[in-house]
Amino acid sequence: MTDNPVQIRPLVAGNWKMNGLKTAFSEAIAVAEAISKPDAAPADVMICPPATMLMVLTEVTHDHKLLLGGQDCHTAESGAHTGDVSPEMLKDAGATAVIVGHSERRSDHGELDRHVRAKAEAARRAGLTAIICIGETAGERGVGMTLDVIKRQLSGSVPDGATAANTVIAYEPVWAIGTGLTPTPDDVAEVHTEIRKTLVDRFQAEGQAMRILYGGSVKPDNAKTLLAIANVNGALVGGASLKASDFLGIVAAYS
Ligand code: PEP
């Protein structure tokens, strides 16, 4: 399998993680304005800010094309879960999507595939697209386990009934996140091809149309190469999404 016969509109999503005070609103507004120009790149662009910024960002960017997302969610709609945020709350604050299963959630909070799957189901209940993160550690890659890990995570984390509208997969090798390291284009192609095959086997046409993002040290200077790889339908960007100029430099790969 090489190029996907289905035309997929790419998505470039920025994960701000636990970064962003009021001073950062201007970066998001700069992105919102740039991507709303008539000659903007043909890609969907999203910022996933801290939950504290979501509602205000929704208000200040409402007449632009910028999509907003959450970074994590609880599985419940509401209740006694101090410190958590529900997908319904994210939706209410203006999000259209939520990242689930990021490797930092898996390592910092012990989240397992079954937790990620439950969060993806909760996101769907609330009408949000779940951006489901998967990816191998350096150790797993070192012993040739990458494709096994990917397939196990896909099977455990992606709920039944996933569609191209309610699910995005983000392949993020753990060792590439925030390190400046990236897999070779051949390695990215191998994993994304396997992800596509697994999705098509399980979800048929929906799996063919589902977006598969690459994430891990995507920067303006490597975006064109990474985003041109077969079955790479966009990027999940951490550090380089914090500055509008860097993030727009990545989006520009689609110009
Ligand atoms: C991420 O954390 O999702 C990520 C891809 O980070 P970075 O781009 O900084 O490697």
Side-chain angles (χ1 to χ4, degrees):
M1 188 187 302
T2 52
D3 282 326
N4 193 333
V6 177
Q7 271 289 56
I8 298 180
R9 183 173 167 87
L11 168 66
V12 181
N15 172 14
W16 280 13
K17 312 192 185 190
M18 200 171 72
N19 298 292
L21 302 175
K22 279 185 277 189
T23 46
F25 283 133
S26 57
E27 300 296 330
I29 292 167
V31 171
E33 287 175 351
I35 63 154
S36 300
K37 291 187 178 148
D39 60 346
D44 289 337
V45 179
M46 178 183 294
I47 289 178
C48 301
T52 48
M53 301 182 79
L54 204 45
M55 206 172 267
V56 176
L57 269 184
T58 299
E59 278 167 22
V60 296
T61 62
H62 78 276
D63 53 352
H64 296 95
K65 292 183 178 156
L66 182 67
L67 301 170
L68 295 170
Q71 296 179 11
D72 179 53
C73 64
H74 197 276
T75 55
E77 188 175 339
S78 62
H81 303 289
T82 304
D84 281 315
V85 60
S86 76
E88 282 78 6
M89 289 169 171
L90 294 171
K91 171 105 174 161
D92 186 51
T96 59
V98 59
I99 299 169
V100 293
H102 190 282
S103 68
E104 287 152 16
R105 297 291 314 177
R106 291 178 188 259
S107 63
D108 294 359
H109 300 270
E111 290 186 7
L112 304 172
D113 287 332
R114 62 187 162 83
H115 302 126
V116 178
R117 185 187 190 114
K119 288 180 178 206
E121 282 167 348
R124 187 195 307 171
R125 178 192 67 221
L128 297 179
T129 297
I131 301 176
I132 303 175
C133 301
I134 57 173
E136 82 286 1
T137 63
E140 289 163 341
R141 177 162 283 271
V143 294
M145 294 286 294
T146 298
L147 297 184
D148 293 326
V149 170
I150 294 305
K151 284 187 274 190
R152 191 194 69 221
Q153 291 181 332
L154 280 175
S155 155
S157 302
V158 182
D160 290 338
T163 66
N166 66 29
T167 305
V168 170
I169 305 299
Y171 168 56
E172 299 207 301
V174 178
W175 53 271
I177 295 178
T179 59
L181 303 172
T182 54
T184 65
D186 283 351
D187 287 341
V188 174
E190 180 187 39
V191 175
H192 278 243
T193 299
E194 191 63 36
I195 294 173
R196 177 69 66 206
K197 189 175 162 314
T198 306
L199 293 174
V200 172
D201 284 351
R202 185 165 164 207
F203 301 111
Q204 295 79 44
E206 292 295 334
Q208 195 81 63
M210 220 172 264
R211 296 197 264 204
I212 308 172
L213 312 185
Y214 168 77
S217 295
V218 179
K219 309 285 178 207
D221 62 357
N222 62 18
K224 228 182 168 77
T225 304
L226 289 165
L227 298 181
I229 297 168
N231 286 306
V232 174
N233 312 118
L236 182 54
V237 184
S241 68
L242 294 171
K243 274 186 63 184
S245 53
D246 289 344
F247 193 46
L248 290 168
I250 292 168
V251 175
Y254 287 111
S255 297

